[in-house]
Amino acid sequence: MASSSDTALRSFSLTNDIKDISPQDEIYKFDVEANKRLNREQPWVNDPHYFKSCKISAVALIKMVIHARSGVPWEIMGLMQGKVVGHSLVVMDSFALPVQGTETRVNAANEANEYMVQYIQESEKVGRLENAIGWYHSHPGYGCWLSGIDVNTQMNNQKFQDPFVAVVIDPNRTISAGRVDIGAFRTYPAGYTPPNATASEYQSIPLSKIEDFGVHANQYYSLEVEIFKSSLDTELLGLLWNKYWINTLSQSPLISNRAYAASQLSDLHQKLTKAAGNVTSTKPVVPTLPASTDKNGQTSKGSQKSEPKKEAENQLAKNVKDSTKIAVEAQHGLIAQVIKDVLFSSRPGKAPSEAVAPVEEAVEMAIG
């Protein structure tokens, strides 16, 4: 079991691209005076894009993922401790907040505010000098982005206790994909319009959330997320990993995520129905003349008729990506279940080759 756990931890580190750094690295040092000077200068006030990345310790990441998974299907919330290093917000540790969330929102009450103040004060007594650097919460099953409520919360945090970062974790997609689905975000100042605002990388958003996602998409930007660890984290990371690994072994993604999988299929059906309604006809399209400009400078409307069709085709292409993602996650769940069955349910005296054969058949069937 120990070797299997170690192998799983190494696989987790590779999948999430966790970087090993020296314990003497600058990232582990905390200069109180330099931190005070930086907070006085506040270079991020004049540059909305001052912060480029969010570096998270592997210990803090595991704690956040375990917390997020424990709350499914409800949202959870916690606080992160860290500091600023150059143009990066560095998260050294995290802790859960005693808040009651719902399926769509989570807010910190007075009890949670008192708890976080007391926790940070007690942390200072044991040598954890880093201040609160951000907050995290979960989006079970609907991706990593900021809703309207999240944007307002983050704006207030940046207004009164900057530097501050918002981290979002999707525990359902983490279980399905085997890789932590995480995002780090900063909001723009009120009234600021980002130059050359472009669409971010496509991600699958439930139809019921698309409007909220689109309305607030240009009010914040995402930071590059990097995960790091050192040899000093080994023991603590091992203890946390054992808890995470046992929970992973005792659960099947196909069972624990069945409600999420069903909601994905239902959402895909709604998206396909909506996209199909925009496709007017399957008959060949009558060729149209290219756009031309007359003497008065008016552009002909010949090429404008194809715009609705292009939009419909674009929606269908996104639906294809969603359906492919659902199929791949289901295949991963099937493979994981067969491997667990072979490893932990094999009969005594059975030859190793006989035990490996079902795994190879399941992988070939899933891939083929």
Side-chain angles (χ1 to χ4, degrees), residues 69 72 172 175 247 251-261:
R69 287 184 60 172
V72 176
N172 289 352
I175 296 173
N247 289 338
Q251 294 179 353
S252 167
L254 299 177
I255 298 176
S256 59
N257 257 17
R258 56 187 174 186
Y260 167 62

Side-chain angles (χ1 to χ4, degrees), residues 253-318:
L254 299 177
I255 298 176
S256 59
N257 257 17
R258 56 187 174 186
Y260 167 62
S263 66
Q264 278 191 310
L265 291 173
S266 175
D267 181 68
L268 179 60
H269 169 70
Q270 295 176 22
K271 289 179 178 178
L272 287 171
T273 302
K274 182 178 179 180
N278 295 331
V279 179
T280 56
S281 175
T282 58
K283 296 180 180 180
V285 180
V286 178
T288 57
L289 294 174
S292 59
T293 305
D294 58 18
K295 296 179 180 180
N296 297 324
Q298 300 294 324
T299 302
S300 64
K301 299 181 180 180
S303 62
Q304 297 177 2
K305 296 180 180 179
S306 61
E307 291 301 322
K309 181 183 177 182
K310 289 182 179 179
E311 183 178 353
E313 291 176 349
N314 188 34
Q315 291 299 324
L316 288 173
K318 292 180 179 179

Side-chain angles (χ1 to χ4, degrees), residues 40-353:
R40 287 195 301 267
E41 295 173 355
Q42 296 185 331
W44 50 82
V45 172
N46 299 322
D47 183 6
H49 287 274
Y50 179 81
F51 294 108
K52 310 297 182 184
S53 64
C54 179
K55 299 181 179 181
I56 305 174
S57 75
V59 171
L61 178 70
I62 290 291
K63 291 171 70 174
M64 289 189 287
V65 172
I66 293 175
H67 185 204
R69 287 184 60 172
S70 69
V72 176
W74 316 113
E75 288 192 11
I76 55 86
M77 181 179 176
L79 210 64
M80 302 178 295
Q81 293 173 276
K83 57 186 177 181
V84 174
V85 177
H87 291 272
S88 299
L89 290 155
V90 180
V91 177
M92 303 300 298
D93 198 8
S94 64
F95 60 93
L97 289 177
V99 297
Q100 180 65 44
T102 68
E103 290 184 348
T104 56
R105 66 181 62 182
V106 60
N107 291 310
N110 292 332
E111 294 81 1
N113 294 328
E114 295 174 1
Y115 176 85
M116 69 175 73
V117 171
Q118 183 179 0
Y119 187 97
I120 293 176
Q121 290 176 346
E122 296 298 323
S123 296
E124 293 176 354
K125 295 179 181 179
V126 296
R128 174 64 74 190
L129 301 178
E130 290 86 0
N131 297 320
I133 197 70
W135 66 295
Y136 72 89
H137 69 290
S138 63
H139 279 183
Y142 49 96
C144 298
W145 49 281
L146 297 185
S147 65
I149 296 176
D150 299 336
V151 168
N152 291 332
T153 301
Q154 179 60 18
M155 280 185 171
N156 288 330
N157 287 330
Q158 290 183 203
K159 182 177 180 180
F160 296 108
Q161 50 186 349
D162 219 14
F164 221 71
V165 63
V167 168
V168 183
I169 295 176
D170 188 335
N172 289 352
R173 296 187 180 184
T174 296
I175 296 173
S176 296
R179 177 186 176 90
V180 178
D181 193 31
I182 187 171
F185 308 96
R186 292 266 302 173
T187 54
Y188 294 119
Y192 176 80
T193 302
N196 302 324
T198 58
S200 58
E201 182 180 354
Y202 174 73
Q203 58 175 314
S204 178
I205 306 294
L207 193 62
S208 59
K209 304 284 185 181
I210 285 180
E211 184 177 355
D212 191 22
F213 171 77
V215 168
H216 305 284
N218 289 330
Q219 292 182 267
Y220 62 90
Y221 71 99
S222 61
L223 303 174
E224 180 183 358
V225 177
E226 300 177 13
I227 314 299
F228 67 91
K229 67 180 179 71
S230 76
S231 57
L232 295 179
D233 299 326
T234 302
E235 184 175 356
L236 183 55
L237 187 60
L239 293 173
L240 290 168
W241 177 257
N242 287 336
K243 179 179 180 181
Y244 180 82
W245 172 238
I246 291 173
N247 289 338
T248 304
L249 277 180
S250 62
Q251 294 179 353
S252 167
L254 299 177
I255 298 176
S256 59
N257 257 17
R258 56 187 174 186
Y260 167 62
S263 66
Q264 278 191 310
L265 291 173
S266 175
D267 181 68
L268 179 60
H269 169 70
Q270 295 176 22
K271 289 179 178 178
L272 287 171
T273 302
K274 182 178 179 180
N278 295 331
V279 179
T280 56
S281 175
T282 58
K283 296 180 180 180
V285 180
V286 178
T288 57
L289 294 174
S292 59
T293 305
D294 58 18
K295 296 179 180 180
N296 297 324
Q298 300 294 324
T299 302
S300 64
K301 299 181 180 180
S303 62
Q304 297 177 2
K305 296 180 180 179
S306 61
E307 291 301 322
K309 181 183 177 182
K310 289 182 179 179
E311 183 178 353
E313 291 176 349
N314 188 34
Q315 291 299 324
L316 288 173
K318 292 180 179 179
N319 293 339
V320 170
K321 291 183 180 179
D322 290 348
S323 63
T324 302
K325 174 177 170 293
I326 294 172
V328 169
E329 290 177 352
Q331 290 173 352
H332 287 172
L334 286 169
I335 294 173
Q337 189 61 33
V338 172
I339 292 176
K340 289 179 184 178
D341 183 61
V342 171
L343 292 177
F344 302 105
S345 302
S346 58
R347 301 293 182 267
K350 181 180 289 188
S353 59

